[in-house]
mmCIF file of all heavy atoms in Angstrom:
data_model
loop_
_atom_site.group_PDB
_atom_site.id
_atom_site.type_symbol
_atom_site.label_atom_id
_atom_site.label_comp_id
_atom_site.label_asym_id
_atom_site.label_seq_id
_atom_site.Cartn_x
_atom_site.Cartn_y
_atom_site.Cartn_z
ATOM 1 N N GLY B 60 -3.386 -36.115 -97.051
ATOM 2 C CA GLY B 60 -4.127 -35.512 -98.160
ATOM 3 C C GLY B 60 -3.325 -35.322 -99.412
ATOM 4 O O GLY B 60 -3.600 -34.435 -100.235
ATOM 5 N N CYS B 61 -2.257 -36.157 -99.614
ATOM 6 C CA CYS B 61 -1.523 -36.000 -100.875
ATOM 7 C C CYS B 61 -1.887 -37.103 -101.832
ATOM 8 O O CYS B 61 -1.357 -37.155 -102.957
ATOM 9 C CB CYS B 61 -0.017 -35.982 -100.567
ATOM 10 S SG CYS B 61 0.585 -37.577 -100.072
ATOM 11 N N GLY B 62 -2.771 -38.021 -101.456
ATOM 12 C CA GLY B 62 -3.222 -38.993 -102.393
ATOM 13 C C GLY B 62 -2.778 -40.445 -102.207
ATOM 14 O O GLY B 62 -2.869 -41.207 -103.125
ATOM 15 N N LYS B 63 -2.351 -40.754 -100.995
ATOM 16 C CA LYS B 63 -1.878 -42.127 -100.786
ATOM 17 C C LYS B 63 -3.044 -43.111 -100.909
ATOM 18 O O LYS B 63 -2.932 -44.178 -101.622
ATOM 19 C CB LYS B 63 -1.277 -42.247 -99.385
ATOM 20 C CG LYS B 63 -0.082 -41.366 -99.141
ATOM 21 C CD LYS B 63 0.562 -41.607 -97.795
ATOM 22 C CE LYS B 63 -0.292 -41.297 -96.616
ATOM 23 N NZ LYS B 63 -0.329 -39.878 -96.295
ATOM 24 N N THR B 64 -4.116 -42.809 -100.241
ATOM 25 C CA THR B 64 -5.232 -43.736 -100.234
ATOM 26 C C THR B 64 -5.852 -43.834 -101.643
ATOM 27 O O THR B 64 -6.157 -44.943 -102.122
ATOM 28 C CB THR B 64 -6.266 -43.267 -99.219
ATOM 29 O OG1 THR B 64 -5.641 -43.140 -97.968
ATOM 30 C CG2 THR B 64 -7.428 -44.236 -99.130
ATOM 31 N N ARG B 65 -5.934 -42.720 -102.295
ATOM 32 C CA ARG B 65 -6.484 -42.730 -103.661
ATOM 33 C C ARG B 65 -5.585 -43.581 -104.580
ATOM 34 O O ARG B 65 -6.082 -44.301 -105.400
ATOM 35 C CB ARG B 65 -6.537 -41.289 -104.169
ATOM 36 C CG ARG B 65 -7.016 -41.169 -105.592
ATOM 37 C CD ARG B 65 -8.475 -41.592 -105.800
ATOM 38 N NE ARG B 65 -9.403 -40.778 -105.100
ATOM 39 C CZ ARG B 65 -9.955 -39.704 -105.636
ATOM 40 N NH1 ARG B 65 -9.685 -39.337 -106.870
ATOM 41 N NH2 ARG B 65 -10.830 -38.990 -104.966
ATOM 42 N N PHE B 66 -4.343 -43.485 -104.333
ATOM 43 C CA PHE B 66 -3.357 -44.259 -105.115
ATOM 44 C C PHE B 66 -3.620 -45.763 -104.971
ATOM 45 O O PHE B 66 -3.694 -46.514 -105.913
ATOM 46 C CB PHE B 66 -1.958 -43.887 -104.746
ATOM 47 C CG PHE B 66 -0.880 -44.745 -105.380
ATOM 48 C CD1 PHE B 66 -0.679 -44.719 -106.729
ATOM 49 C CD2 PHE B 66 -0.096 -45.580 -104.583
ATOM 50 C CE1 PHE B 66 0.289 -45.492 -107.344
ATOM 51 C CE2 PHE B 66 0.906 -46.389 -105.187
ATOM 52 C CZ PHE B 66 1.073 -46.307 -106.590
ATOM 53 N N VAL B 67 -3.804 -46.199 -103.736
ATOM 54 C CA VAL B 67 -4.051 -47.603 -103.471
ATOM 55 C C VAL B 67 -5.310 -48.021 -104.126
ATOM 56 O O VAL B 67 -5.409 -49.103 -104.798
ATOM 57 C CB VAL B 67 -4.062 -47.892 -101.966
ATOM 58 C CG1 VAL B 67 -4.390 -49.363 -101.734
ATOM 59 C CG2 VAL B 67 -2.696 -47.579 -101.367
ATOM 60 N N GLU B 68 -6.351 -47.208 -103.999
ATOM 61 C CA GLU B 68 -7.615 -47.552 -104.667
ATOM 62 C C GLU B 68 -7.409 -47.701 -106.164
ATOM 63 O O GLU B 68 -7.884 -48.640 -106.788
ATOM 64 C CB GLU B 68 -8.618 -46.385 -104.424
ATOM 65 C CG GLU B 68 -9.469 -46.538 -103.219
ATOM 66 C CD GLU B 68 -10.451 -45.388 -103.149
ATOM 67 O OE1 GLU B 68 -10.924 -44.850 -104.159
ATOM 68 O OE2 GLU B 68 -10.714 -45.011 -101.994
ATOM 69 N N TYR B 69 -6.699 -46.777 -106.691
ATOM 70 C CA TYR B 69 -6.461 -46.763 -108.117
ATOM 71 C C TYR B 69 -5.705 -48.026 -108.510
ATOM 72 O O TYR B 69 -6.047 -48.700 -109.535
ATOM 73 C CB TYR B 69 -5.654 -45.501 -108.520
ATOM 74 C CG TYR B 69 -5.241 -45.516 -109.956
ATOM 75 C CD1 TYR B 69 -6.125 -45.213 -110.972
ATOM 76 C CD2 TYR B 69 -3.887 -45.747 -110.266
ATOM 77 C CE1 TYR B 69 -5.720 -45.184 -112.274
ATOM 78 C CE2 TYR B 69 -3.485 -45.742 -111.586
ATOM 79 C CZ TYR B 69 -4.365 -45.441 -112.597
ATOM 80 O OH TYR B 69 -4.004 -45.423 -113.905
ATOM 81 N N MET B 70 -4.737 -48.386 -107.742
ATOM 82 C CA MET B 70 -3.924 -49.548 -108.066
ATOM 83 C C MET B 70 -4.782 -50.803 -107.967
ATOM 84 O O MET B 70 -4.680 -51.743 -108.783
ATOM 85 C CB MET B 70 -2.706 -49.680 -107.126
ATOM 86 C CG MET B 70 -1.600 -48.662 -107.400
ATOM 87 S SD MET B 70 -1.206 -48.407 -109.103
ATOM 88 C CE MET B 70 -0.575 -50.015 -109.553
ATOM 89 N N ALA B 71 -5.667 -50.843 -106.936
ATOM 90 C CA ALA B 71 -6.522 -52.039 -106.832
ATOM 91 C C ALA B 71 -7.404 -52.126 -108.063
ATOM 92 O O ALA B 71 -7.603 -53.243 -108.606
ATOM 93 C CB ALA B 71 -7.417 -51.895 -105.580
ATOM 94 N N TRP B 72 -7.843 -51.040 -108.528
ATOM 95 C CA TRP B 72 -8.676 -51.048 -109.725
ATOM 96 C C TRP B 72 -7.878 -51.476 -110.924
ATOM 97 O O TRP B 72 -8.279 -52.330 -111.707
ATOM 98 C CB TRP B 72 -9.308 -49.646 -109.919
ATOM 99 C CG TRP B 72 -10.016 -49.567 -111.230
ATOM 100 C CD1 TRP B 72 -11.329 -49.956 -111.532
ATOM 101 C CD2 TRP B 72 -9.476 -49.053 -112.470
ATOM 102 N NE1 TRP B 72 -11.618 -49.729 -112.789
ATOM 103 C CE2 TRP B 72 -10.511 -49.194 -113.426
ATOM 104 C CE3 TRP B 72 -8.240 -48.520 -112.792
ATOM 105 C CZ2 TRP B 72 -10.326 -48.770 -114.748
ATOM 106 C CZ3 TRP B 72 -8.065 -48.142 -114.129
ATOM 107 C CH2 TRP B 72 -9.088 -48.243 -115.079
ATOM 108 N N LYS B 73 -6.756 -50.870 -111.055
ATOM 109 C CA LYS B 73 -5.929 -51.094 -112.208
ATOM 110 C C LYS B 73 -5.394 -52.528 -112.250
ATOM 111 O O LYS B 73 -5.494 -53.175 -113.288
ATOM 112 C CB LYS B 73 -4.721 -50.140 -112.192
ATOM 113 C CG LYS B 73 -3.935 -50.049 -113.455
ATOM 114 C CD LYS B 73 -2.918 -48.926 -113.347
ATOM 115 C CE LYS B 73 -1.767 -49.115 -114.338
ATOM 116 N NZ LYS B 73 -2.196 -49.085 -115.724
ATOM 117 N N LEU B 74 -5.006 -53.040 -111.104
ATOM 118 C CA LEU B 74 -4.506 -54.382 -111.154
ATOM 119 C C LEU B 74 -5.625 -55.410 -111.296
ATOM 120 O O LEU B 74 -5.415 -56.512 -111.788
ATOM 121 C CB LEU B 74 -3.754 -54.656 -109.811
ATOM 122 C CG LEU B 74 -2.428 -53.906 -109.648
ATOM 123 C CD1 LEU B 74 -1.944 -53.975 -108.226
ATOM 124 C CD2 LEU B 74 -1.412 -54.346 -110.651
ATOM 125 N N GLY B 75 -6.775 -54.976 -110.913
ATOM 126 C CA GLY B 75 -7.908 -55.895 -111.044
ATOM 127 C C GLY B 75 -8.378 -56.019 -112.450
ATOM 128 O O GLY B 75 -8.998 -56.972 -112.900
ATOM 129 N N ARG B 76 -8.088 -54.979 -113.245
ATOM 130 C CA ARG B 76 -8.517 -55.057 -114.661
ATOM 131 C C ARG B 76 -7.630 -56.027 -115.387
ATOM 132 O O ARG B 76 -6.434 -56.072 -115.200
ATOM 133 C CB ARG B 76 -8.364 -53.691 -115.269
ATOM 134 C CG ARG B 76 -9.643 -52.908 -115.229
ATOM 135 C CD ARG B 76 -9.521 -51.585 -115.907
ATOM 136 N NE ARG B 76 -8.152 -51.220 -116.173
ATOM 137 C CZ ARG B 76 -7.812 -50.470 -117.224
ATOM 138 N NH1 ARG B 76 -8.703 -50.063 -118.061
ATOM 139 N NH2 ARG B 76 -6.559 -50.119 -117.401
ATOM 140 N N PRO B 77 -8.228 -56.863 -116.215
ATOM 141 C CA PRO B 77 -7.418 -57.852 -116.952
ATOM 142 C C PRO B 77 -6.661 -57.237 -118.105
ATOM 143 O O PRO B 77 -6.681 -57.808 -119.203
ATOM 144 C CB PRO B 77 -8.450 -58.867 -117.368
ATOM 145 C CG PRO B 77 -9.719 -58.101 -117.519
ATOM 146 C CD PRO B 77 -9.645 -56.936 -116.560
ATOM 147 N N VAL B 78 -6.111 -56.177 -117.930
ATOM 148 C CA VAL B 78 -5.298 -55.569 -119.022
ATOM 149 C C VAL B 78 -4.063 -56.441 -119.186
ATOM 150 O O VAL B 78 -3.705 -56.893 -120.260
ATOM 151 C CB VAL B 78 -4.889 -54.144 -118.645
ATOM 152 C CG1 VAL B 78 -4.003 -53.591 -119.813
ATOM 153 C CG2 VAL B 78 -6.107 -53.275 -118.512
ATOM 154 N N THR B 79 -3.417 -56.649 -118.053
ATOM 155 C CA THR B 79 -2.315 -57.617 -118.104
ATOM 156 C C THR B 79 -2.824 -58.927 -117.555
ATOM 157 O O THR B 79 -3.618 -58.941 -116.627
ATOM 158 C CB THR B 79 -1.135 -57.190 -117.243
ATOM 159 O OG1 THR B 79 -1.699 -56.807 -115.982
ATOM 160 C CG2 THR B 79 -0.437 -55.983 -117.818
ATOM 161 N N THR B 80 -2.442 -59.959 -118.144
ATOM 162 C CA THR B 80 -2.933 -61.257 -117.602
ATOM 163 C C THR B 80 -1.980 -61.688 -116.505
ATOM 164 O O THR B 80 -0.810 -61.516 -116.531
ATOM 165 C CB THR B 80 -2.941 -62.298 -118.678
ATOM 166 O OG1 THR B 80 -1.656 -62.297 -119.310
ATOM 167 C CG2 THR B 80 -4.007 -62.016 -119.690
ATOM 168 N N ILE B 81 -2.599 -62.244 -115.529
ATOM 169 C CA ILE B 81 -1.837 -62.684 -114.392
ATOM 170 C C ILE B 81 -1.655 -64.193 -114.398
ATOM 171 O O ILE B 81 -2.641 -64.928 -114.551
ATOM 172 C CB ILE B 81 -2.491 -62.268 -113.066
ATOM 173 C CG1 ILE B 81 -2.605 -60.689 -113.058
ATOM 174 C CG2 ILE B 81 -1.722 -62.767 -111.860
ATOM 175 C CD1 ILE B 81 -3.487 -60.225 -111.971
ATOM 176 N N ARG B 82 -0.431 -64.618 -114.321
ATOM 177 C CA ARG B 82 -0.226 -66.060 -114.342
ATOM 178 C C ARG B 82 -0.433 -66.652 -112.980
ATOM 179 O O ARG B 82 0.163 -66.228 -112.015
ATOM 180 C CB ARG B 82 1.194 -66.324 -114.856
ATOM 181 C CG ARG B 82 1.360 -65.986 -116.259
ATOM 182 C CD ARG B 82 2.790 -66.282 -116.746
ATOM 183 N NE ARG B 82 2.908 -65.799 -118.140
ATOM 184 C CZ ARG B 82 2.532 -66.507 -119.174
ATOM 185 N NH1 ARG B 82 1.973 -67.666 -119.044
ATOM 186 N NH2 ARG B 82 2.692 -66.016 -120.399
ATOM 187 N N ARG B 83 -1.276 -67.688 -112.937
ATOM 188 C CA ARG B 83 -1.449 -68.392 -111.692
ATOM 189 C C ARG B 83 -0.402 -69.433 -111.603
ATOM 190 O O ARG B 83 0.355 -69.715 -112.536
ATOM 191 C CB ARG B 83 -2.822 -69.098 -111.640
ATOM 192 C CG ARG B 83 -3.969 -68.122 -111.812
ATOM 193 C CD ARG B 83 -4.206 -67.355 -110.510
ATOM 194 N NE ARG B 83 -4.596 -68.249 -109.441
ATOM 195 C CZ ARG B 83 -5.901 -68.419 -109.068
ATOM 196 N NH1 ARG B 83 -6.862 -67.812 -109.686
ATOM 197 N NH2 ARG B 83 -6.122 -69.289 -108.076
ATOM 198 N N ASN B 84 -0.315 -70.083 -110.444
ATOM 199 C CA ASN B 84 0.701 -71.097 -110.267
ATOM 200 C C ASN B 84 0.597 -72.190 -111.328
ATOM 201 O O ASN B 84 1.632 -72.746 -111.756
ATOM 202 C CB ASN B 84 0.604 -71.721 -108.885
ATOM 203 C CG ASN B 84 1.038 -70.715 -107.834
ATOM 204 O OD1 ASN B 84 1.686 -69.753 -108.172
ATOM 205 N ND2 ASN B 84 0.688 -70.945 -106.587
ATOM 206 N N ASP B 85 -0.602 -72.479 -111.662
ATOM 207 C CA ASP B 85 -0.767 -73.570 -112.634
ATOM 208 C C ASP B 85 -0.600 -73.119 -114.072
ATOM 209 O O ASP B 85 -0.906 -73.843 -115.007
ATOM 210 C CB ASP B 85 -2.125 -74.235 -112.459
ATOM 211 C CG ASP B 85 -3.230 -73.154 -112.467
ATOM 212 O OD1 ASP B 85 -2.925 -72.005 -112.813
ATOM 213 O OD2 ASP B 85 -4.384 -73.443 -112.162
ATOM 214 N N GLN B 86 -0.040 -71.910 -114.254
ATOM 215 C CA GLN B 86 0.320 -71.428 -115.576
ATOM 216 C C GLN B 86 -0.894 -71.216 -116.442
ATOM 217 O O GLN B 86 -0.777 -70.901 -117.648
ATOM 218 C CB GLN B 86 1.265 -72.367 -116.331
ATOM 219 C CG GLN B 86 2.605 -72.604 -115.633
ATOM 220 C CD GLN B 86 3.480 -71.382 -115.769
ATOM 221 O OE1 GLN B 86 3.662 -70.851 -116.859
ATOM 222 N NE2 GLN B 86 4.086 -70.956 -114.683
ATOM 223 N N GLN B 87 -2.062 -71.304 -115.897
ATOM 224 C CA GLN B 87 -3.267 -71.150 -116.705
ATOM 225 C C GLN B 87 -3.614 -69.649 -116.844
ATOM 226 O O GLN B 87 -3.532 -68.900 -115.898
ATOM 227 C CB GLN B 87 -4.426 -71.873 -115.992
ATOM 228 C CG GLN B 87 -5.591 -72.061 -116.897
ATOM 229 C CD GLN B 87 -6.777 -72.642 -116.122
ATOM 230 O OE1 GLN B 87 -6.648 -73.046 -114.946
ATOM 231 N NE2 GLN B 87 -7.922 -72.695 -116.743
#
Side-chain angles (χ1 to χ4, degrees):
Chain B
C61 70
K63 299 186 294 281
T64 305
R65 177 66 65 90
F66 173 65
V67 176
E68 269 181 33
Y69 173 75
M70 288 315 297
W72 172 83
K73 192 172 159 61
L74 293 168
R76 266 184 345 151
V78 176
T79 48
T80 50
I81 298 170
R82 291 180 185 279
R83 302 283 296 261
N84 289 343
D85 50 10
Q86 299 286 314
Q87 194 186 352

